[in-house]
Amino acid sequence: MLGKRSRLFFGISVGALIISIILAVWGFPKIIRSQIQKNIQLDNSSMMYEKWRVLPMPLKFKITVFNVTNTEEINNGKKPKLQEIGPFVYKEYRERTVLGYGDNDTIKYMLKKTFIFDAEESAPFSEDDMVTVINFSYMAALITINDMMPALVSTLNMGFQEMYSQYGLDDPFITVKARDLFFDGLFLNCRGNHSSLALICSQISTTSPPTMRPTEDGSGFYFSMFSHLNRTASGPYSMVRGIENVKELGHIVSYKEKTFMNNWGSDPYCGQLNGSDSSIYPPIDENNVPKRLYTFQPDICRSIYVDFMSKTNIFNMSAYYYELSESAFASKSANPDNKCYCKKNWSGNHDGCLLMGVMNLFPCQQAPAIASLPHFYLASEELLEFFDGGIKPDKEKHKSYIMLEPNTGAVLKGVQRLQFNVELRQMKIPQLMKVPTGLFPMLWIEESAEVPPSIQEELQQNLKLIGYANTARWVILALAIIAAVVSTIVVVRATLPGWSGRNSVFVLRPTNVNGIDLNKG
């Protein structure tokens, strides 16, 4: 009877062990992955959906201006001396309007950003501070004209003098309030006597650059660097929802109904839409950590990547740290893939491919703006030689990076920095007759975010549950192994000579006590 029971116990324990192995190796991980996917996929019922649709906390949008301190010397051919003023800090709120759902597990939406000045964070700086900067719109227009029709530069410059009459146009610099430069706008007059002014204003009206908005009375335009971000929503975007394949979660498949950015010609590398919109990423498989993460940046009409650097810890959570490396904005000699970004000369000394660390935005913005990292970090040292002070690259201050929680793909902390430059070019007009030619920075921006304490706590609780589930699968497996070992011992001992089922399964029946043979009689 005991033998039958021990064999039954053995069979059950072996069956439990097999089931435990399956659960530990396949079942529990699948259940955990399935639950994570339900929480992070872009579906009305998921925990992530509403946080993705309306960002629960504002990003920090910081603007630092390069104030020009020696305009007279520059006008006479000397090197520029610059002074950083800022940062001017804005709260950046993001809200998405869902337009519908498409094929291939996609969601279609518009993205609206709203910027509100944060006086407390900005102190001691205010929006009313006066700054002297390179006249970005003026230089951009002159360079465009000079590259297309150099003979018209002098004639059209007379129209520009009327356009900028409110500020004076004695040189390529302008002194204005920070608020006007950033969002409110610098008034550009279109009512004057010179015929070239009408031609300039007509061209602005036709091309409708995003940095220009017409006045209500039709008397001119307002130029500002960022008001277009505050006025209109961008998109539509089409993004993978991650319901069918969580590894594709957040991938942008089209922007403004385009699946390819033809600003850079037909080259498949530069024109590809690759990566997310920087708000959401798929979970990271710790056995197959991606070497690069991509984000699509509509303001520069291309995808940018960050490279994996290390595994780290932040907010008491494990994180994967990615950083923008020099290859993203590298020259074609350093990164041959970037050759398709070489589109238009920015200087008479160049062939259309820029120096290390800078990118021509003309094909994207239809204006000769040049992007770089702040202070020309990771750029050619040749760019630094143009200045006599105020430009000093610093990795910790000027790098861009992101930290992701691997189980959920949540962005724990991220910083993205970008500098806007325009060429200061010597030309045969009074304002530019003696200036040195070189790439001149106007300002740089920083967008940063980190999860607030409330969401940190939520993530930590979810990770604890994942930890408990992982612990449970190994505990169950350990108990199953113990049960299998015990049952094996029972079966083996049950087959030994002298075994009796009437005694404890671990005690053999005695045959002799105090010299008396118990088996007799």
Side-chain angles (χ1 to χ4, degrees):
M1 184 69 178
L2 181 59
K4 290 182 180 179
R5 288 178 179 175
S6 63
R7 286 193 293 272
L8 178 61
F9 178 36
F10 177 75
I12 292 173
S13 63
V14 170
L17 177 60
I18 293 171
I19 293 172
S20 298
I21 291 172
I22 293 172
L23 285 173
V25 175
W26 180 81
F28 270 95
K30 182 175 176 62
I31 292 169
I32 292 171
R33 287 195 301 269
S34 176
Q35 191 60 44
I36 290 173
Q37 180 172 349
K38 287 180 181 178
N39 287 338
I40 65 174
Q41 66 191 18
L42 296 180
D43 181 78
N44 290 346
S45 61
S46 75
M47 293 175 60
M48 176 62 73
Y49 180 79
E50 196 58 28
K51 293 182 178 69
W52 168 82
R53 195 186 68 81
V54 181
L55 199 66
M57 73 292 183
L59 279 67
K60 286 186 178 179
F61 184 79
K62 300 180 179 180
I63 307 171
T64 302
V65 176
F66 288 103
N67 188 61
V68 186
T69 63
N70 65 331
T71 56
E72 288 299 323
E73 291 179 354
I74 299 171
N75 292 333
N76 287 297
K78 301 295 184 180
K79 290 185 176 182
K81 292 180 182 179
L82 306 179
Q83 172 196 22
E84 274 196 342
I85 293 183
F88 299 85
V89 183
Y90 292 79
K91 292 179 180 178
E92 178 186 336
Y93 296 89
R94 292 189 175 189
E95 181 175 352
R96 292 171 176 84
T97 301
V98 176
L99 303 178
Y101 302 92
D103 298 331
N104 302 318
D105 191 26
T106 57
I107 186 170
K108 191 175 183 180
Y109 65 91
M110 299 291 290
L111 173 61
K112 180 68 174 69
K113 299 178 182 180
T114 303
F115 298 85
I116 298 176
F117 184 67
D118 190 330
E120 184 177 347
E121 285 280 334
S122 300
F125 305 104
S126 79
E127 287 187 300
D128 291 321
D129 287 346
M130 303 298 292
V131 293
T132 299
V133 295
I134 190 165
N135 193 332
F136 196 94
S137 56
Y138 174 58
M139 284 306 310
L142 283 179
I143 290 169
T144 303
I145 295 166
N146 190 65
D147 288 341
M148 298 176 63
M149 300 170 289
L152 292 180
V153 170
S154 295
T155 302
L156 293 177
N157 190 52
M158 296 178 185
F160 284 122
Q161 288 177 336
E162 288 192 340
M163 173 174 276
Y164 290 93
S165 57
Q166 180 175 333
Y167 308 98
L169 197 63
D170 299 324
D171 57 31
F173 305 103
I174 189 169
T175 300
V176 294
K177 286 184 178 180
R179 67 166 68 247
D180 294 335
L181 179 63
F182 302 155
F183 288 99
D184 288 1
L186 312 177
F187 175 67
L188 306 183
N189 173 52
C190 280
R191 290 179 177 171
N193 299 320
H194 204 281
S195 59
S196 62
L197 178 62
L199 180 61
I200 294 168
C201 292
S202 175
Q203 181 65 19
I204 294 174
S205 182
T206 300
T207 56
S208 299
T211 53
M212 299 282 191
R213 73 179 190 274
T215 60
E216 293 182 0
D217 60 4
S219 62
F221 297 89
Y222 287 107
F223 167 82
S224 59
M225 293 295 293
F226 308 113
S227 67
H228 61 286
L229 302 178
N230 227 358
R231 294 196 314 269
T232 58
S234 64
Y237 299 80
S238 185
M239 173 190 281
V240 178
R241 301 169 67 194
I243 296 175
E244 297 178 4
N245 183 2
V246 73
K247 293 180 180 179
E248 291 293 313
L249 173 67
H251 182 73
I252 299 292
V253 296
S254 72
Y255 174 68
K256 292 185 176 180
E257 312 298 343
K258 296 191 297 185
T259 58
F260 184 85
M261 301 304 292
N262 54 13
N263 307 72
W264 314 104
S266 59
D267 190 282
Y269 176 80
C270 289
Q272 65 182 324
L273 280 172
N274 201 0
S276 80
D277 66 354
S278 78
S279 66
I280 189 169
Y281 294 87
I284 295 175
D285 182 355
E286 298 198 18
N287 297 315
N288 187 24
V289 178
K291 294 181 179 179
R292 283 179 173 172
L293 292 178
Y294 290 81
T295 60
F296 173 65
Q297 305 287 345
D299 291 336
I300 60 175
C301 303
R302 63 166 286 192
S303 293
I304 291 288
Y305 56 81
V306 287
D307 292 318
F308 174 69
M309 294 296 172
S310 64
K311 189 174 182 180
T312 185
N313 193 280
I314 185 174
F315 308 134
N316 294 319
M317 290 179 276
S318 292
Y320 283 85
Y321 176 77
Y322 287 81
E323 187 175 299
L324 186 72
S325 66
E326 64 180 9
S327 63
F329 287 155
S331 61
K332 72 172 182 179
S333 59
N335 182 2
D337 287 336
N338 284 349
K339 65 182 183 297
C340 44
Y341 293 121
C342 303
K343 280 297 174 185
K344 193 173 180 65
N345 291 354
W346 67 275
S347 170
N349 300 323
H350 280 270
D351 63 358
C353 287
L354 303 189
L355 296 174
M356 186 77 174
V358 294
M359 178 184 176
N360 191 346
L361 297 183
F362 190 92
C364 176
Q365 300 289 353
Q366 295 304 302
I370 307 293
S372 70
L373 295 181
H375 287 250
F376 300 112
Y377 170 60
L378 299 179
S380 171
E381 290 192 6
E382 179 182 333
L383 296 166
L384 308 182
E385 295 171 0
F386 181 65
F387 303 95
D388 191 29
I391 297 293
K392 188 177 181 180
D394 184 309
K395 180 177 181 179
E396 291 307 310
K397 294 179 181 178
H398 304 140
K399 66 182 179 180
S400 295
Y401 63 88
I402 190 171
M403 295 181 182
L404 300 180
E405 195 288 308
N407 292 284
T408 60
V411 179
L412 299 179
K413 186 175 183 179
V415 177
Q416 180 176 288
R417 298 175 171 121
L418 194 67
Q419 180 172 297
F420 294 96
N421 315 276
V422 68
E423 187 187 358
L424 176 63
R425 187 187 297 182
Q426 192 175 108
M427 300 183 196
K428 293 181 179 180
I429 55 175
Q431 294 85 351
L432 301 171
M433 192 70 72
K434 297 180 181 179
V435 299
T437 294
L439 195 57
F440 209 106
M442 183 184 195
L443 54 81
W444 62 275
I445 61 172
E446 173 185 305
E447 278 184 307
S448 63
E450 65 179 45
V451 290
S454 59
I455 298 181
Q456 289 177 33
E457 185 176 345
E458 184 179 322
L459 279 171
Q460 288 166 353
Q461 290 299 321
N462 290 336
L463 294 176
K464 281 182 182 178
L465 293 176
I466 293 173
Y468 294 152
N470 279 319
T471 301
R473 63 170 170 154
W474 299 119
V475 169
I476 292 171
L477 179 60
L479 292 174
I481 291 173
I482 292 171
V485 171
V486 171
S487 67
T488 301
I489 293 172
V490 170
V491 170
V492 171
R493 288 188 174 182
T495 61
L496 293 177
W499 177 267
S500 174
R502 292 192 300 269
N503 293 284
S504 168
V505 295
F506 294 108
V507 181
L508 293 178
R509 184 181 179 185
T511 59
N512 188 294
V513 177
N514 295 327
I516 301 174
D517 188 351
L518 299 178
N519 291 321
K520 288 183 178 182

